[in-house]
Amino acid sequence: MTTVPRLVEGAQRPRRRKNAAGGKRLVPYLFIAPFLVLFAVFLVTPIFVALWNSLFSAQSLGLGFGGVQTVFVGLDNFIRAFVDSDFIASFGRVLLYGLVQVPVMMIFATALAMLFDSALVRGKRFFQFAVFLPYAIPGVIAALLWGFLYQPAVSPLLQGLQNLGISPDLLAPGTVLWSITNVSIWSYTGINMIILFSALQAIPREMFEAARLDGAGELRIAISIKLPMIAPAVMLTILSSIIGTLQLFNEPQVLKSVTSSISSDYTPNMAIYAASTLGKDSHLGSAMAIILGVVTLLISVVLLKSRSDSKEGVGD
Amino acid sequence: MSEARLIAAKTEKARGLRRNSSSKMVDGDRVSRGWMLVVTIAMVVAAVYFLFPVVWLLIASTKSTGELFTTNGLSFGEFHLFDNLAALGSYDGGIYWRWVLNSIIYSVFGSILTTFVCAATGYALAIYRFRGRKVILGLVMGSMLIPGTVIAQPTYVLLVSMGLNNTYAGLLLPALVYPFGVLLCYIYGQSSVPIELIEAARLDGAGEFRIFGSIGLRLMSSGLVTVLLFAFLGSWNSYMLPLLVLTDQNLMPLTVGLVGWNQSSITIPSLQILTIVGSLVSVVPIAVVFVALQRFWRSGLTAGGIRG
């Protein structure tokens, strides 16, 4: 990349950037040492601690007054997690949630980004601010706010509907999942819109002029040119949204305090939390965390792979 | 969660350098009034949806507990905001401000440290060639696939065994490992620190750390702000790990404290309005800063990787 010729050691080693003198060989290691130590202690070690922890179980001695003893149980905790129908159901629940949340949010974000990119919106700054504002509010606080708006006693929304003769229960067992979906759509549409909007702004405008000369309308241009052009950005945002849905924790955990329709193992992460704290069985919690980690990893790998496959199919 | 998206935005922006903005007006010529009306209505509907909870929060914060239940949610009652703020500050010996302070310690102090660690690592990976460099880059990329919440429970188990649960360090230290930040700093370091400048500084007799401090950090500064902001947001929003690790309410960040109040408000009704006012106070400064810095972090987000 650089055109400036190397004068001294450049010929011996082909690398572009390198250490100047032998005595300074230690310097780069000093720079990365803090990160490496922290990485080893707080990212690598926890994985091994969890693996080790998941193979044991705390069992009480005698009649229960004797204290507890930690015994090796092999894969028992994993078997317990797999036969725990509530834990398995929690995966189904977040999958169902993701099937609705991701498409609705992405359609919403894409449509808004397209409109902001067109010349159709007056007062663009204000509307962009409105759409983006929720992202500046922590997910937990957003869930708190919507929690109030879901309660008939304080919600102006439900009060208004009641005046019209409709009184939906947004916190019932059948509806609460969609109430959670609404909170995360509200929170994350803004950031996705911004990312897709900057992708749209990056398309060379000449392409549209050429299409117009060929007689294409604005809608046609949006569907046939803009959408395919931002497809890679859309795919990546979808990918990270799907991974995010598996980790669902904050919103249901917060809403749990205003409704009994959310059990303590409503999502995989909530089950992990409940097992580790309420159930006082961090061994089971570790086994569940490993299962969730493996499932997440498998899904990301499959999605990444299918993405690169479909790219090849198009002939990129 | 938004990390992969950042990269998407970056690649898109790189393409955008070729963009010609002079043709913007052509769009305008084609706009029909009917469509404009439809779009404006759609925008108003969207804005109402996104602003509604915030507007409700502003109005509800000015009410007394009684008015919260007796008056319409979108109309003002008597103005109790200052009473509520006073009650917020004095409840339980001023625990709320303690939580604010804790959140600031975890987020401000934590994100500055995180950015420094990321900057040093990314700079070294970009500037030096050393044995094991490729391995470390691979580790950084690979570990980005591990979501923070999956690692939360194992981290909790580790912290308990180290005796670091219920300490500031227990929450600060794990947050310092931020592989995405390292990757960003690596990209910024590669694109914005010219090797010629570093060699010139070496000839002038500057030491490697001095070069990093006075040249590297300065040239990478716009990218570092992006890392700082994302690290800050990450720990400000963090909930699962503090919930697991902290049981001492004097150490809790705002998020955990406020949700605790919300849970207790079932038995202590006066906590309901305090939760609402507390949410407002926690949201306003962050929203103002975030929106004010919008241009800055947005440009960092989209253009940071291709500068220089």
Side-chain angles (χ1 to χ4, degrees), chain B residues 209-241:
Chain B
F209 294 103
R210 167 110 192 266
I211 295 173
F212 169 66
S214 52
I215 298 177
L217 283 183
R218 201 156 300 170
L219 290 175
M220 290 160 72
S221 60
S222 74
L224 295 184
V225 173
T226 311
V227 175
L228 186 78
L229 267 166
F230 279 94
F232 173 83
L233 266 188
S235 53
W236 189 267
N237 294 343
S238 143
Y239 180 63
M240 187 169 172
L241 189 64

Side-chain angles (χ1 to χ4, degrees), chain B residues 42-117:
Chain B
M43 279 295 153
V44 170
V45 171
V48 167
Y49 171 69
F50 287 109
L51 292 178
F52 184 78
V54 182
V55 171
W56 175 82
L57 176 68
L58 282 169
I59 295 172
S61 298
T62 67
K63 292 179 177 175
S64 67
T65 302
E67 283 170 338
L68 196 60
F69 294 96
T70 51
T71 57
N72 183 298
L74 287 179
S75 62
F76 283 95
E78 283 175 56
F79 196 75
H80 289 288
L81 180 61
F82 296 111
D83 301 342
N84 290 338
L85 285 173
L88 179 72
S90 61
Y91 186 84
D92 204 0
I95 190 77
Y96 180 81
W97 296 112
R98 180 76 202 238
W99 293 338
V100 172
L101 182 71
N102 290 341
S103 272
I104 290 173
I105 291 173
Y106 295 129
S107 304
V108 176
F109 186 58
S111 59
I112 291 172
L113 278 180
T114 306
T115 309
F116 198 75
V117 171

